[in-house]
Each structure stands twice: as structure tokens, then as C-alpha cells.
Amino acid sequence: MNSSLYSINPTVGAAIKSGQSVLALESTILAHGMPYPQNIAFAKKSDRLVRSFGVIPATIAIVSGKICVGLDNEQLDSVAQGKNVQKVAVRDLSHCLSSGLTGATTVSATMRIAHAVGIKVFSTGGIGGVHQNWKSTSDVSQDLYELSRTPLVVVSSGAKAILDLPKTVEYLESLSVPILGYKTDNFPAFYSRKSGVQIDTRVDSPEEIAQHFNIHRSLGLASSLLVANPVPKTNEIDRGTVSVFIEKALVGAKENHIYGKKLTPFLLSEIYRLSNGNSLKTNMALALSNIKLGTQIALALSLSKQCSANANHG
Ligand code: PSU
Ligand code: MN
């Protein structure tokens, strides 16, 4: 790791060093997935939730050409309300750093950075995946490739409903990424609890997930475990209602020639508008639920490490 590229928050750095549990969080969801100032309120709420379990939150972003792991208020402001904040996936990292720009990291870039600094668990809202018009555009998110080559536990509510979910699940299998349904055997569809796509592995506790990860790593496997945690029942928007918004948003994207990295933020903001803001409430609720589960997994992992260390010395 080239430490001159990084600015690691002292509390986060000390926690990683001492083996205390740390949870990575992404910043694209803040800068490009939620409006200001709700995004700041959400970030603060997430922070408090993680700390209330005795775990240290580490939001990852790039501020003026430095990789920041754990943001102070000023850094959070520059990402959440700054002008010209880049959307930074893995392939955009070197450009953002060498140009001294400020950028919000997507799932793929956040994963790469979290792993580089020694964090094991990362919670997000929904991963990117295979887009609905993939046949004509070849639009497949870098998130899927990163999940195949960087070993973390990634907690999400499945992939965003705007995607082709059956193809996304199929692609994850091709890339050897295990999907663990948390108390479900159906891949969640972000705003809704079920997509109708079956998944093979169901887990029912954070401890079970920690055990899975330990075995996965002892086998030397380099992929992540994707934990699929459905949105809480009370915040669910049913598939039928969401599909109408998605159809309209997709037509809007086509008419306005929106593609590439602008597509996901455009679709999310259209769904926000069409649902009269309801989608944002659901987005926040599912992200907080993933943060809570990620926190519990991070604790379970630290505990399992302590147990095996004690067993080895005993
Ligand atoms: N899920 C959300 N809001 C978001 C995203 C996901 O609820 O803003 C972001 C994530 O950062 C994800 C990115 O990595 O969208 C995927 O973008 P793309 O489809 O361009 O790969
Ligand atoms: Mn894309």
C-alpha cells in the first residue's frame, strides 16, 4: 500500500491495527444516490448506528486527490454537497487521484480501498449489475467484476431493481461469487423483498456468515461473499408499483440519451421523483438495515478470530 495516497482517519487506523471491528461504507450512495441535505442526515444516522454497537464506521471517498477512509464533517460536506464530485468506480481511481479531484466511490472502488487498508466487511444499499438493455449496450457494472476478485463480506439488498436481476444473479455465479440470502432464499429486488430469482444458500445469523467467510478465506478464494438482505417489511414497495416507475425512468433515459456512469443516478432520481420521494425512504431504510447487519457480521468475525487465537494458544 502506498500510504502517501491515503488519509486514514486516526480512530479508524487505530481500530484496524488493534483488530477492533470496522465497517466500510460507500459514498456514491450519498453523492449520487440521495439528494442534499437528506444525504448528510443519513450519513450521520449511519455513523451513530454503527458506533452504538461498538464498531467503527469508515466511509470511503476521495477528497482533493486523497483516498479518505473515515470522513470528518468537512470531508463529508465536500462529498455530499460539493460541486463537480466525480462518480469513481475502480477504473476511475487513478484519474481522480492524479487530477486532485474529489470523488464519491462506488461499490467497486470502495471494496478495493477497504481491502487495501485491511477492512473485511462493507455495507451498501444495492450493488450494480447487468443492465436491462445489456444486449445493445454491454452495460455490466464494474461492481460484479470487483466482487469476483476482492475478498470482503459485502452486505446489500440485492441489486438495484432497475437492473436485469435474473441475469445479474447468473453473472455472479459465472464469476464465482457466493450469494448468501439472509433469512431468505429469494434474491431481493432492492425496493422489494423478492425478485422471484431463487438463491441456493440461506443463512440465518451473523455468526453463520462469519463462519462462511473464514472457510472461504482459508480456501484461498479471492471473491467476496455477497450477503443479500431484503428491505424491512414495513418499508417495502411492491414490485408492481416499482416496475411502473422503472419503465417510465428507462424511457426517459432513452429519450435523453443517458448511458454509461450517468445511467444509474439518472434512473434513481427519476424513481425518486415519480414515487413522490417514497423511494428515498425505502432506500435509506434498507441501507440502514444493511449497515446494522454488517456491524453484527464485523463483530462476529472479530469474535471468531479471538476464539481461534485462544484455541491455538490454549
Ligand atoms: N445503490 C443505491 N444508490 C447508489 C448506488 C447503488 O441505492 O447510488 C451506486 C453504488 O455506488 C453502485 C453504483 O456501486 O451505484 C453502480 O453504478 P453503475 O451502475 O454505474 O456501475
Ligand atoms: Mn454501467
Side-chain angles (χ1 to χ4, degrees):
M1 192 180 114
N2 178 350
S3 54
S4 69
L5 298 175
Y6 290 81
S7 159
I8 300 182
N9 175 285
T11 318
V12 173
I16 295 172
K17 241 189 183 155
S18 68
Q20 199 190 340
S21 307
V22 178
L23 180 69
L25 303 167
E26 60 147 316
S27 44
T28 292
I29 190 172
L30 303 173
H32 304 286
M34 293 176 182
Y36 174 84
Q38 288 99 317
N39 55 0
I40 302 252
F42 171 81
K44 299 220 156 132
K45 202 168 173 183
S46 310
D47 204 273
R48 284 196 298 274
L49 178 64
V50 178
R51 285 182 207 281
S52 73
F53 285 86
V55 174
I56 304 298
T59 301
I60 292 174
I62 298 171
V63 180
S64 308
K66 277 258 182 216
I67 298 174
C68 297
V69 182
L71 306 182
D72 60 27
N73 283 338
E74 203 180 313
Q75 290 165 333
L76 174 63
D77 279 350
S78 64
V79 173
Q81 61 171 320
K83 305 260 174 308
N84 196 27
V85 176
Q86 312 288 302
K87 178 179 162 190
V88 181
V90 146
R91 76 141 178 190
D92 311 304
L93 276 167
S94 49
H95 167 68
C96 190
L97 295 174
S98 63
S99 319
L101 293 166
T102 291
T105 50
T106 66
V107 167
S108 66
T110 306
M111 286 179 67
R112 182 58 67 103
I113 295 164
H115 179 62
V117 301
I119 301 175
K120 296 192 175 68
V121 188
F122 162 39
S123 288
T124 179
I127 59 162
V130 180
H131 278 268
Q132 296 208 15
N133 55 354
W134 63 281
K135 262 194 180 157
S136 55
T137 59
S138 302
D139 192 347
V140 177
S141 174
Q142 290 172 64
D143 294 355
L144 298 191
Y145 299 95
E146 201 53 39
L147 283 161
S148 75
R149 61 185 172 217
T150 299
L152 293 170
V153 179
V154 178
V155 186
S156 85
S157 297
K160 279 161 294 172
I162 52 174
L163 301 166
D164 185 327
L165 295 180
K167 295 224 166 39
T168 299
V169 171
E170 198 65 48
Y171 214 82
L172 284 165
E173 180 181 343
S174 307
L175 291 169
S176 315
V177 178
I179 306 175
L180 309 184
Y182 188 65
K183 299 185 177 171
T184 185
D185 49 17
N186 206 288
F187 194 66
F190 198 66
Y191 302 116
S192 324
R193 289 177 60 82
K194 290 183 179 179
S195 65
V197 182
Q198 286 291 121
I199 39 181
D200 299 331
T201 314
R202 173 189 167 129
V203 285
D204 290 283
S205 69
E207 291 72 27
E208 221 181 308
I209 297 168
Q211 193 192 359
H212 240 100
F213 189 63
N214 287 332
I215 294 174
H216 188 76
R217 293 300 290 140
S218 348
L219 292 170
L221 297 170
S223 60
S224 278
L225 294 186
L226 178 64
V227 177
N229 180 32
V231 58
K233 274 198 184 88
T234 44
N235 301 101
E236 178 174 31
I237 312 180
D238 74 77
R239 270 299 253 171
T241 311
V242 178
S243 341
V244 176
F245 301 147
I246 295 172
E247 283 307 315
K248 286 190 180 156
L250 285 168
V251 170
K254 200 163 185 193
E255 281 171 4
N256 293 291
H257 308 288
I258 310 258
Y259 58 91
K261 66 201 288 184
K262 294 208 166 74
L263 182 63
T264 295
F266 174 84
L267 294 175
L268 291 176
S269 70
E270 278 297 281
I271 295 168
Y272 171 74
R273 189 178 63 76
L274 293 162
S275 70
N276 292 320
N278 220 2
S279 66
L280 182 63
K281 284 192 204 127
T282 298
N283 196 344
M284 286 176 170
L286 65 84
L288 284 171
S289 155
N290 295 338
I291 288 170
K292 185 171 171 197
L293 179 57
T295 303
Q296 293 166 331
I297 297 167
L299 286 170
L301 261 180
S302 304
L303 211 62
S304 67
K305 286 271 171 300
Q306 280 164 22
C307 289
S308 64
N310 290 344
N312 290 338
H313 292 122

